[in-house]
Amino acid sequence: MSFLMDAWYMAAWHHEVVDVPFARRICGLPMVFFRSRDGTVAALEDRCCHRAAPLRFGTVVDQGLQCGYHGLVFDCTGRCVHVPGQERVPPKAMVRAYPLVEKDGILWVWPGDPARADSAKILDYPFHDDTKNWPHKTQHYHVKANYMLLVENLMDLTHLAYVHKSTIGGNPKAHVEAKMTVTPKDQGLHFIRWLPGSMPPPSYQKAAGLHGPIDRWMEFEYTAPGVVVQWTGGLPVGRNAMENRNQSGGFSLRILHCLTPETESTSFYFWSAANGYRQDDPTATTDLFKEIDTAFSEDKGIVEAQQEIMQETGTSDLVNIASDSARMQMRRALQRMLDAQSSAP
Ligand code: FES
Ligand SMILES: [Fe+2]
């Protein structure tokens, strides 16, 4: 499998990129990220054009990033602007720069052809800036599995009842019988699952004090290649949740999942969890975060184990079942984009 290069991937949380360079490999490409003195963020190839020293050993200076080996300085566009001990900068002295956009607390990088990078296509996630209604916390994991296994994990939620028994799970029967509507989109798909009159899982009980039956929903929107926006919650039965989910007295959370390939067999799982039920209570936000962190570590464990065995035994004989419908549409959406990429001029 080759990666979709002409796409925006989450590269980092904004607070990770400071005035000290740090390296991260995205879609197999070694990149170095830094924030220049004027606050602009940049992503360059992590390889100096002089003697190929990785630029992550460099220092941020007034004009940009200074290589830590012999002191060449590169600006945010990758152009060399200073060579110690000489006036003239060789015209070929430059390193590759990747389009990078900071938005809603996220750094988005475009590993492909810069001419096709359209920042208007980047996800809008206003909830990160709305801390009054959606206080949130962020996290990221390094995962020893192909990023697609993480995307697939989010496309088939029947796993909740088995993998997340102690947290966000719930009754296996309620999950399998959930009413699921999948709608294909240009660049992905949308689905919503309803578990009407189901018993709240442990996390819901703890967080919102829900103990009787609830109408529970899980709404997911996937945008290829690696972004999944989630809105999940529940309201006590009898409150017409299906007509109006924006009601107090229930449980409601928003999760942003960004799955970014590092290599064919490793990836980054960035996520944020926003509390939409006890917004004035910082403990509720922290407790929610811990609960989700536990659950997603369970996902990490299972996909890493999958990766290991798939690498050993292959995948050609695997069987699809009814709960794979969203997963299969997800694959089709991604394939359409890969095909478009390979037929692009
Ligand atoms: S390797 Fe970067 S300045 Fe020499
Ligand atoms: Fe999960």
Side-chain angles (χ1 to χ4, degrees):
M1 190 187 107
S2 56
F3 299 120
L4 184 69
M5 301 306 261
D6 285 341
W8 292 103
Y9 288 93
M10 176 162 177
W13 289 112
H14 70 111
H15 53 80
E16 292 185 273
V17 182
V18 292
D19 56 358
V20 178
F22 87 100
R24 189 163 277 167
R25 193 174 282 265
I26 308 282
C27 294
L29 301 169
M31 299 184 188
V32 62
F33 298 86
F34 67 97
R35 191 177 292 275
S36 65
R37 294 262 160 92
D38 67 3
T40 318
V41 286
L44 304 180
E45 185 180 6
D46 190 18
R47 178 184 185 275
C48 180
C49 64
H50 174 224
R51 299 299 303 147
L55 289 171
R56 62 177 177 273
F57 297 115
T59 314
V60 173
V61 295
D62 283 346
Q63 288 170 285
L65 180 60
Q66 180 161 48
C67 178
Y69 202 0
H70 314 97
L72 265 66
V73 178
F74 302 92
D75 68 11
C76 290
T77 68
R79 201 166 56 91
C80 178
V81 290
H82 172 69
V83 180
Q86 65 185 62
E87 281 292 304
R88 192 180 150 272
V89 174
K92 281 203 329 215
M94 59 175 69
V95 295
R96 182 171 172 190
Y98 296 93
L100 186 73
V101 174
E102 185 166 19
K103 185 181 170 190
D104 304 323
I106 296 170
L107 270 78
W108 297 96
V109 74
W110 180 275
D113 180 352
R116 286 198 278 267
D118 177 2
S119 56
K121 293 233 170 95
I122 296 176
L123 171 82
D124 277 318
Y125 202 72
F127 311 106
H128 277 165
D129 303 314
D130 182 5
T131 47
K132 188 172 164 287
N133 293 306
W134 295 99
H136 68 277
K137 286 179 76 70
T138 64
Q139 175 66 295
H140 71 277
Y141 310 137
H142 180 252
V143 181
K144 292 194 208 70
N146 183 282
Y147 82 111
M148 270 290 123
L149 291 181
L150 288 166
V151 177
E152 291 186 339
N153 172 265
L154 295 167
M155 295 294 110
D156 182 355
L157 300 181
T158 57
H159 81 265
L160 266 70
Y162 304 96
V163 181
H164 308 306
K165 279 190 210 69
S166 64
T167 53
I168 53 174
N171 182 290
K173 196 162 166 287
H175 275 286
V176 173
E177 288 173 355
K179 295 197 331 197
M180 170 129 158
T181 315
V182 185
T183 315
K185 297 252 167 180
D186 251 12
Q187 275 199 41
L189 62 97
H190 170 276
F191 72 78
I192 184 157
R193 299 169 83 230
W194 280 96
L195 279 66
S198 60
M199 287 312 287
S203 297
Y204 286 42
Q205 298 185 19
K206 265 199 268 177
L210 295 169
H211 295 288
I214 56 167
D215 291 330
R216 180 178 175 190
W217 73 87
M218 296 166 199
E219 182 181 31
F220 281 64
E221 176 140 8
Y222 166 68
T223 306
V227 176
V228 180
V229 172
Q230 171 184 352
W231 181 25
T232 304
L235 280 162
V237 166
R239 298 270 299 275
N240 286 330
M242 286 207 191
E243 279 75 55
N244 176 20
R245 284 178 280 161
N246 270 317
Q247 299 183 47
S248 57
F251 182 62
S252 170
L253 70 113
R254 285 187 187 271
I255 300 182
L256 172 66
H257 312 254
C258 294
L259 302 319
T260 302
E262 179 186 42
T263 66
E264 288 287 346
S265 56
T266 56
S267 50
F268 300 103
Y269 188 170
F270 300 95
W271 58 268
S272 70
N275 157 11
Y277 54 98
R278 265 163 49 213
Q279 292 95 331
D280 296 337
D281 179 358
T283 333
T285 309
T286 311
D287 289 348
L288 173 73
F289 173 81
K290 284 191 202 144
E291 203 77 2
I292 304 288
D293 200 26
T294 306
F296 290 2
S297 301
E298 292 166 339
D299 290 312
K300 179 178 184 299
I302 202 130
V303 303
E304 287 183 340
Q306 253 183 309
Q307 172 78 32
E308 217 178 301
I309 197 82
M310 281 177 163
Q311 240 163 270
E312 197 183 324
T313 62
T315 56
S316 54
D317 56 347
L318 298 179
V319 177
N320 294 326
I321 59 172
S323 69
D324 286 308
S325 61
R327 188 181 66 77
M328 285 155 65
Q329 294 218 28
M330 176 277 288
R331 283 283 179 179
R332 283 197 281 273
L334 179 64
Q335 195 53 50
R336 279 198 301 274
M337 289 175 75
L338 283 165
D339 293 346
Q341 175 177 279
S342 49
S343 62

